[in-house]
Amino acid sequence: MAKSWQDVDTRKNGLAVVIGRFQPVHFGQLYNIDEGLKIADNVLVLIGSAFNSSSPKNPFTYEQRAKMVKDYYFQSQHRDRIIIEPLADYIYEENQWITDVQEIVSQYETKKVALIGHEKDDSSYYLKNFPQWDFIETGKWPDTVKGIDATKIRELYFNHNLNYVAGVVPLSTYNFLEWFSTTQEYKDLVEERNFIDAYKAAWANSPHPPTFATVDAVVVQSGHILLVKRREQPGKNLMALPGGFLGETETQEDAVIRELREETKLKVPVPVLRGSIKKEKTFSNTSRSQRGRTITQAYLFQLKNDEPLPKVKGSDDAKEAAWYPLAEFYNMEDQMYEDHFYIVKKMLDNE
């Protein structure tokens, strides 16, 4: 059962934990940190989605978000009591995400730990994943706009409307947002956001919310994986798995082989590709694509390891195609489109 912070003895806990994406830092999150400072010796701020690629949903890097927090507390007497750490995503491995949180916390405190937060909606479910710690419900930031919505902040920000934003973020964050709006990164994100908005508008009159079906190819050989660089929005210039939408008259297996050959010009005969399929798995996380509900079927192709890597060339929707050592791929999370990094990990790590 959640406690109110008023019910906790002052500085009873060794550590208060605040988890969030901070995209961007706003007063609601800072309110949670402030309440944590009241009931614990130190506050550990875990910044989630720390290594994701840039997108309208995750526009700012971990370093930028950490600096937003540090800048707000720069002149505070409590700044040395605030610890900031990155927290990776594990979209299809929640137990690993929970383990990461536990391991980071154990570096600073193992006994008296309080988890600080506000159960505002379904997105706050993670607050229930740590029964070993006291959960302190802080409630909404006591503002005049009845709560803060980070999604709304980003939406208005990319529409060049800063009136609402100015009232819910600290001045230091606002100044950063103003500067960021002058960069090429901002222009690219606006372009992607406009594409997504237009994409959704095209389906606005559908009698039912559409569900899109796609396929993705995880092709490995001799410790290498085949990736493409996306030519167009969304995710322009990000790395991705070869794949695309399921054709109306295609099976999923036919579609993934077609997309693979179209995007990479992979010089492997179709019968060999069919015989190389070792696994297939459905990925249906409801938030995996910003275009709307998109369910993909991923196929693992294991080509023969004792042969030279087949030549490839980017084509169709792919600007480039190339083989990457798996050791290099596992450091490419911040370059990968949507959930493709996590799809590969799920398909390969459980082998």
Side-chain angles (χ1 to χ4, degrees), residues 241-285:
L241 295 170
F245 287 94
L246 177 67
E248 186 176 357
T249 61
E250 289 181 306
T251 66
Q252 291 171 314
E253 185 175 301
D254 287 342
V256 75
I257 291 174
R258 172 185 57 76
E259 288 284 354
L260 173 59
R261 290 167 62 85
E262 285 179 356
E263 292 191 349
T264 70
K265 299 299 181 182
L266 180 65
K267 301 297 184 181
V268 176
V270 170
V272 174
L273 288 175
R274 291 193 191 279
S276 301
I277 295 174
K278 302 302 180 183
K279 180 194 292 187
E280 61 178 290
K281 185 173 178 59
T282 303
F283 293 88
S284 59
N285 186 288

Side-chain angles (χ1 to χ4, degrees), residues 79-276:
R79 65 180 183 182
D80 292 336
R81 293 170 53 207
I82 298 173
I83 306 160
I84 304 174
E85 292 281 3
L87 182 62
D89 275 352
Y90 291 91
I91 295 178
Y92 302 110
E93 300 172 287
E94 186 172 42
N95 284 334
Q96 184 59 58
W97 182 85
I98 294 172
T99 300
D100 276 13
V101 174
Q102 293 172 338
E103 289 181 346
I104 296 172
V105 169
S106 70
Q107 296 176 29
Y108 299 99
E109 182 71 33
T110 58
K111 295 180 180 179
K112 295 183 178 180
V113 178
L115 181 62
I116 307 293
H118 171 46
E119 293 185 278
K120 62 177 182 177
D121 53 35
D122 291 343
S123 67
S124 307
Y125 78 95
Y126 64 88
L127 294 171
K128 299 179 180 179
N129 286 340
F130 306 96
Q132 71 272 39
W133 305 329
D134 280 342
F135 168 53
I136 312 301
E137 169 64 64
T138 57
K140 290 183 179 180
W141 171 53
D143 63 340
T144 59
V145 293
K146 300 183 175 15
I148 301 177
D149 184 343
T151 301
K152 183 178 179 181
I153 293 175
R154 294 191 300 272
E155 177 183 343
L156 294 175
Y157 178 58
F158 290 124
N159 285 330
H160 311 284
N161 183 344
L162 296 182
N163 291 333
Y164 171 83
V165 178
V168 295
V169 303
L171 179 61
S172 54
T173 296
Y174 184 83
N175 289 339
F176 167 81
L177 294 177
E178 278 202 312
W179 168 81
F180 189 81
S181 69
T182 66
T183 66
Q184 184 60 47
E185 290 92 333
Y186 176 84
K187 295 175 184 177
D188 293 340
L189 289 165
V190 169
E191 178 186 333
E192 183 170 1
R193 178 59 187 250
N194 290 341
F195 175 91
I196 293 170
D197 287 346
Y199 194 93
K200 291 181 177 179
W203 292 91
N205 295 324
S206 175
H208 303 287
T211 297
F212 305 106
T214 61
V215 290
D216 287 296
V218 180
V219 185
V220 293
Q221 179 178 333
S222 303
H224 288 68
I225 184 167
L226 179 56
L227 300 176
V228 299
K229 178 178 284 188
R230 292 179 63 83
R231 186 185 300 276
E232 304 294 344
Q233 298 288 10
K236 184 177 180 180
N237 290 324
L238 289 179
M239 305 306 298
L241 295 170
F245 287 94
L246 177 67
E248 186 176 357
T249 61
E250 289 181 306
T251 66
Q252 291 171 314
E253 185 175 301
D254 287 342
V256 75
I257 291 174
R258 172 185 57 76
E259 288 284 354
L260 173 59
R261 290 167 62 85
E262 285 179 356
E263 292 191 349
T264 70
K265 299 299 181 182
L266 180 65
K267 301 297 184 181
V268 176
V270 170
V272 174
L273 288 175
R274 291 193 191 279
S276 301

Side-chain angles (χ1 to χ4, degrees), residues 93 279 330 342-351:
E93 300 172 287
K279 180 194 292 187
Y330 282 114
Y342 312 108
I343 287 176
V344 175
K345 283 178 59 66
K346 192 68 173 177
M347 296 291 280
L348 296 185
D349 290 359
N350 295 332
E351 282 292 287

